[in-house]
Amino acid sequence: MSYECILTELRGSGERKTGLITLNRPKQLNALNDQLMDELGQALLAFDADESVGCIVLTGSERAFAAGADIPTMAPHSFISAFKSGLISKNWETILQVRKPVIAAVAGFALGGGCELAMMCDFIIAADTAKFGQPEIKLGIIPGAGGTQRLPRAVGKSKAMDMLLTARMMDAAEAERGGLVSRVVPADQLLVEALAAADTINAFSGPSVLLIKELVNLAFQAPLKDGVAIERRYFHALFGTDDQREGMDAFINKRKPAFKQC
Ligand code: HXC
């Protein structure tokens, strides 16, 4: 499949590969227009369906992960045209259908829809140059892809209110302190570190990986008691896999496990 607004490639040294997706509208700081979001959705679903892929890394450029939704495309909309065309609704949440882990590797600006897209990934590795923000209020609008909902869950109410109401940006160090990103790395190591994290995940048992993603996401929806009960059932179920026998035998015999289940 060839795309115009993104680049895709397979990376990784192990048996299971990483699907790398690079947002590629450099002149517009990777502003997210309809075509880019359609292409991103197609690429994500294609990697999710590809048995040779274990993990997906989503990245941008050195200057910007994405500076938000494409402002000139949004500008002419009226309420009726936004509502009827399903502005932001139809292709922005395809990423939430992906069952494999999606790691956001963020350098430079991740603003508005760019920050929301990064927050829809499973975790964010940030370059020390990363800047996160929800500056929609400066445009006379509000976030439309989950910013008011996911940001407070990530950084708490006070920091989220501050960022959303004042439009100030958060640098990588503050984002890590606040819990928005999992780790900060030197900018020139961003992709190396993100791909290494993906390689680590790719070497584990596929069912464990998929279940952890599903269950952590369930933690934000189900009451604690129900989430823990569902986790317990899946924990039991994994004792029916060859990979459980392999993992525990490898530990007992002091060798590296070779997981088979993808
Ligand atoms: C379209 C954009 C853009 C955007 C930047 N550009 N952001 N184009 N949509 N969101 C373009 C600029 O117009 C410019 O094009 C080029 O990228 C470089 O940007 P500059 O402003 O010249 O760069 P700089 O001075 O370094 O400032 C960088 C910046 C600033 C701080 C990121 O560009 C900025 O504030 N951008 C808008 C950020 C924003 O408001 N995002 C939220 C959008 S609303 P030219 O042709 O002039 O060189 C949103 C709603 C989400 O995301 C709703 C749900 C998804």
Side-chain angles (χ1 to χ4, degrees):
M1 182 84 73
S2 76
Y3 300 108
E4 284 176 20
C5 302
I6 61 170
L7 305 169
T8 62
E9 58 187 297
L10 283 180
R11 290 285 194 96
S13 46
E15 214 167 284
R16 237 167 294 158
K17 305 289 179 213
T18 298
L20 174 63
I21 303 176
T22 306
L23 304 176
N24 190 35
R25 294 185 76 214
K27 283 192 192 128
Q28 297 84 8
L29 302 184
N30 293 330
L32 305 164
N33 64 7
D34 231 22
Q35 184 183 353
L36 185 152
M37 293 311 292
D38 279 341
E39 291 181 3
L40 176 61
Q42 285 165 27
L44 285 165
L45 295 182
F47 281 142
D48 203 35
D50 184 339
E51 288 274 319
S52 72
V53 171
C55 250
I56 299 168
V57 170
L58 177 60
T59 196
S61 68
E62 264 175 48
R63 203 168 157 213
F65 176 74
D70 190 83
I71 297 170
T73 315
M74 284 188 294
H77 271 289
S78 65
F79 165 67
I80 294 294
S81 70
F83 177 61
K84 282 182 71 179
S85 68
L87 183 65
I88 307 300
S89 331
K90 71 178 167 46
N91 50 14
W92 273 74
E93 292 192 336
T94 310
I95 191 167
L96 302 179
Q97 297 168 32
V98 175
R99 297 184 67 201
K100 294 171 184 169
V102 183
I103 303 169
V106 174
F109 298 110
L111 302 178
C115 186
E116 292 172 300
L117 179 61
M119 288 193 289
M120 281 192 255
C121 295
D122 296 308
F123 62 97
I124 302 173
I125 299 181
D128 50 14
T129 58
K131 284 193 183 330
F132 298 87
Q134 297 286 165
E136 287 89 343
I137 198 163
K138 291 204 297 195
L139 299 170
I141 56 168
I142 62 170
T148 62
Q149 304 304 299
R150 290 194 180 91
L151 191 61
R153 282 170 167 82
V155 302
K157 177 181 163 185
S158 190
K159 241 183 218 307
M161 284 284 193
D162 180 1
M163 288 176 68
L164 286 153
L165 290 172
T166 69
R168 83 172 173 87
M169 291 184 211
M170 197 186 259
D171 66 16
E174 185 180 2
E176 187 183 28
R177 277 200 310 280
L180 179 61
V181 312
S182 66
R183 35 180 142 154
V184 179
V185 299
D188 61 359
Q189 290 301 302
L190 177 65
L191 208 50
V192 174
E193 294 279 349
L195 290 169
D199 265 349
T200 300
I201 296 167
N202 287 339
F204 292 132
S205 178
S208 297
V209 169
L210 296 188
L211 282 170
I212 286 171
K213 170 164 175 166
E214 200 170 305
L215 289 164
V216 172
N217 284 325
L218 186 67
F220 293 95
Q221 286 153 23
L224 180 64
K225 192 165 149 285
D226 296 347
V228 171
I230 295 168
E231 181 198 72
R232 187 75 34 85
R233 286 293 161 267
Y234 282 124
F235 169 73
H236 292 156
L238 288 175
F239 283 82
T241 64
D242 291 341
D243 280 348
Q244 173 269 330
R245 263 170 287 287
E246 170 63 11
M248 293 195 180
D249 184 74
F251 175 81
I252 289 163
N253 291 297
K254 302 188 187 307
R255 63 176 175 82
K256 200 167 174 275
F259 294 115
K260 294 262 172 349
Q261 221 105 42
C262 57

